Amino acid sequence: MKRRNQWLTAPLAAGLAAGLLSGCGTEGGGSGGTGDAVVIGMSDEVLATDPASGYDPGSWLLFNNVFQSLLSFPKGSSVPQPEAAEQCGFERGGSTVFQCTLRSGLKFSNGNSLTSEDVKFSFERSLKINDKAGPAAVMLASIDTVEAPDERTVVFNLKVPDATFPSKIASGAGSIVDHREYPADKLRTDNKAVGSGPYKLDSFGEKEAAFSVNGSYKGSAKVKNSGITLKLFHDDQKALAASLKQGDVDIAYRGLTAGDIAELQNTSAGSDKGVEVIEGTSAEVQHLVFNMNDPVVGKLAVRKAMAYLVDRDALVRDVYQSTAEPLYSIVPAGIAGHNTAFFDTYGGSPQPDKAEKALRAANITGKVKLTLWATPSRYGPATVQEFEAIAKQLNKSGLFDAKVESVGFEQYEKDIAAGKYGVYVKGWVPDYPDPDNFTQPFFGMDNVLANNYENGDITGRIIPKAAASADRTKLDADFGKLQDTVAAELPIIPLWQGKQYAVAQDNVSGLEWTLDTSTVFRFWEISKN
């Protein structure tokens, strides 16, 4: 047995600083906030209340506020810090044994004690259920065994070195559930949730979810309101905008159209309506994805021609009304290791002469016929408009005959898995702010793109090396090589990087602390006077 008591004393990385190792933060807001209750409107779906299932932005919003993880991302930081844990760290000299000591006196919202048994149960349960819609296969795959040698100690033995493990368990995937309340081998289906986070889920229905302050909470958050009501608009952006303008919701988050945001960002329009637009940073991205086995776009020359013709500036300006930014690599700006490989290779504006040259060099002389596949129900109604704009850009060159088709998300995912689409859209909201989360899920084994792309250097050397490296500051060259390789081989074309927005009534404050690259929407930071 390896020794478990050797805490890592040097910084793990720029993204995993020494502050990770000891208890930090203020004892939390168990007594509740003093501000008024807040009503938030959202058009995203909340697909799960059980953290073994949900792997979508809406579900993780719920998880991050109702459940605790061992670690969490403080506001404005990409460095995970202790939350349910008092201290955590890798065994000295390695990144395969990770140990945490829990805070003393932790309790779930139902009054039950939270111990290492619950932590062990939570991770083993997610892995055992391995729900197709859940995070286990992507986020927890490196776990071999979990030990609970005493009530406050948890030890994770990993199959392979994984320096990003602390960031992974600081996300919604690390949510801790009460082992007395959840079945070990199946999902909970009653739409209830029992956690130890700052809030309790009082009710969850078709139209809204109600959250009250958890008086038993013990952690780093300080709650600044007396409760949250989350109104659910189910992709109805117009209804959400109308509800905000009528004052029925205090905040609109994840769901207003680019046009609504652009209108409200106008100083006079915003002030006349008594609302304020809060803009935050985001690492949300969207890509054009190619099925590498497709008879048309499986040809590198076709993909190169498209890369020379896509006008990101026009898409951002005309479709998204500058609520996003052009993206020229798979690792977005603001994330360590980001470069501009696609700009360097294909330029920042359409180059039809180079596109034609690429096609003719491959003896492609006729117009290339393409169907671009999109789905509005997951990536927003503007996605279809965006793809229609891309088709026009391609067709304007005289080199393509492109059209757009759109289907519902469930059918869309089935057809991608079956290899029916040559070109399609994929969006990505990161699980944690590390370049690993923009590379391994896309290009590792069993990746989320399902586009039949393989590169031995990426999967066999770069990704494993990055996973094993505790010092994330020394990986820029490797992640740079990976980004350059993707730009050269073109399994995808990055399109844009999002900005985060929330629109609030002018008596609401604190939203600036909920909109950062960690993607954690912190209910507790919001106050209303």
Side-chain angles (χ1 to χ4, degrees), residues 234 285 379 447:
H234 307 291
V285 298
Y379 307 124
N447 65 72

Side-chain angles (χ1 to χ4, degrees), residues 383-400:
T383 306
V384 176
Q385 182 186 350
E386 173 193 6
F387 267 46
E388 288 172 345
I390 293 173
K392 288 180 180 179
Q393 291 174 1
L394 298 175
N395 294 342
K396 182 180 179 181
S397 70
L399 302 171
F400 286 84

Side-chain angles (χ1 to χ4, degrees), residues 173-419:
S175 299
I176 303 168
V177 302
D178 185 346
H179 76 277
R180 289 147 292 208
E181 290 275 353
Y182 288 78
D185 57 356
K186 60 182 179 180
L187 297 173
R188 187 168 182 164
T189 58
D190 58 2
N191 283 339
K192 294 182 179 179
V194 178
S196 58
Y199 292 84
K200 297 185 292 184
L201 179 64
D202 296 327
S203 63
F204 181 85
E206 178 70 17
K207 294 184 178 180
E208 68 178 42
F211 303 82
S212 61
V213 178
N214 176 15
S216 300
Y217 170 70
K218 191 175 185 181
S220 60
K222 285 187 173 181
V223 180
K224 299 176 182 177
N225 55 67
S226 57
I228 298 287
T229 297
L230 181 64
K231 291 195 173 184
L232 305 170
F233 288 83
H234 307 291
D235 287 323
D236 192 341
Q237 284 85 1
K238 290 183 179 179
L240 174 58
S243 187
L244 176 73
K245 293 172 183 177
Q246 293 164 8
D248 294 333
V249 300
D250 299 308
I251 300 166
Y253 173 65
R254 289 194 66 85
L256 291 182
T257 66
D260 289 329
I261 293 171
E263 176 191 348
L264 291 167
Q265 274 187 312
N266 179 290
T267 304
S268 59
S271 60
D272 289 346
K273 291 179 172 58
V275 299
E276 181 182 4
V277 178
I278 296 89
E279 179 180 320
T281 58
S282 174
E284 180 176 354
V285 298
Q286 192 180 93
H287 300 311
L288 197 67
V289 183
F290 298 110
N291 179 355
M292 303 294 276
N293 290 347
D294 183 78
V296 178
V297 299
K299 299 173 182 177
L300 178 59
V302 173
R303 303 196 301 275
K304 279 187 175 181
M306 294 176 69
Y308 280 122
L309 294 173
V310 170
D311 188 344
R312 296 169 179 81
D313 287 328
L315 297 177
V316 166
R317 181 188 66 241
D318 300 335
V319 178
Y320 291 99
Q321 300 188 41
S322 300
T323 59
E325 297 176 323
L327 180 62
Y328 290 98
S329 193
I330 55 173
V331 176
I335 301 296
H338 163 77
N339 73 9
T340 54
F342 277 76
F343 184 92
D344 300 339
T345 307
Y346 304 103
S349 58
Q351 301 184 68
D353 291 345
K354 291 185 177 180
E356 182 176 13
K357 184 177 180 181
L359 292 174
R360 302 300 179 253
N363 296 317
I364 300 172
T365 55
K367 288 187 178 181
V368 178
K369 291 188 176 183
L370 285 179
T371 300
L372 310 179
W373 288 91
T375 179
S377 52
R378 184 61 178 265
Y379 307 124
T383 306
V384 176
Q385 182 186 350
E386 173 193 6
F387 267 46
E388 288 172 345
I390 293 173
K392 288 180 180 179
Q393 291 174 1
L394 298 175
N395 294 342
K396 182 180 179 181
S397 70
L399 302 171
F400 286 84
D401 179 7
K403 65 177 182 177
V404 177
E405 296 285 350
S406 175
V407 296
F409 183 68
E410 186 175 349
Q411 187 62 46
Y412 182 79
E413 289 292 286
K414 289 180 181 178
D415 289 346
I416 289 173

Side-chain angles (χ1 to χ4, degrees), residues 153-169:
T153 304
V154 184
V155 182
F156 297 90
N157 300 294
L158 307 182
K159 300 173 185 175
V160 294
D162 186 0
T164 64
F165 186 71
S167 291
K168 290 175 180 176
I169 65 171

Side-chain angles (χ1 to χ4, degrees), residues 492-516:
I492 66 175
I493 294 177
L495 296 173
W496 54 258
Q497 173 176 349
K499 301 176 183 178
Q500 284 198 88
Y501 291 94
V503 184
Q505 307 295 341
D506 56 13
N507 62 340
V508 173
S509 59
L511 279 166
E512 66 272 18
W513 300 117
T514 68
L515 305 173
D516 57 37

Side-chain angles (χ1 to χ4, degrees), residues 75-133:
K75 57 187 180 184
S77 174
S78 61
V79 181
Q81 299 290 334
E83 172 55 25
E86 182 178 86
Q87 57 183 1
C88 285
F90 281 109
E91 185 180 66
R92 186 185 300 278
S95 52
T96 57
V97 179
F98 191 75
Q99 179 172 318
C100 292
T101 300
L102 297 177
R103 293 177 186 262
S104 61
L106 291 173
K107 291 183 180 297
F108 290 102
S109 59
N110 60 7
N112 289 341
S113 295
L114 189 164
T115 70
S116 60
E117 180 182 2
D118 298 291
V119 180
K120 174 180 166 68
F121 173 84
S122 299
F123 283 94
E124 290 180 341
R125 174 177 183 267
S126 289
L127 288 165
K128 183 174 184 178
I129 295 172
N130 196 24
D131 187 70
K132 288 192 294 184

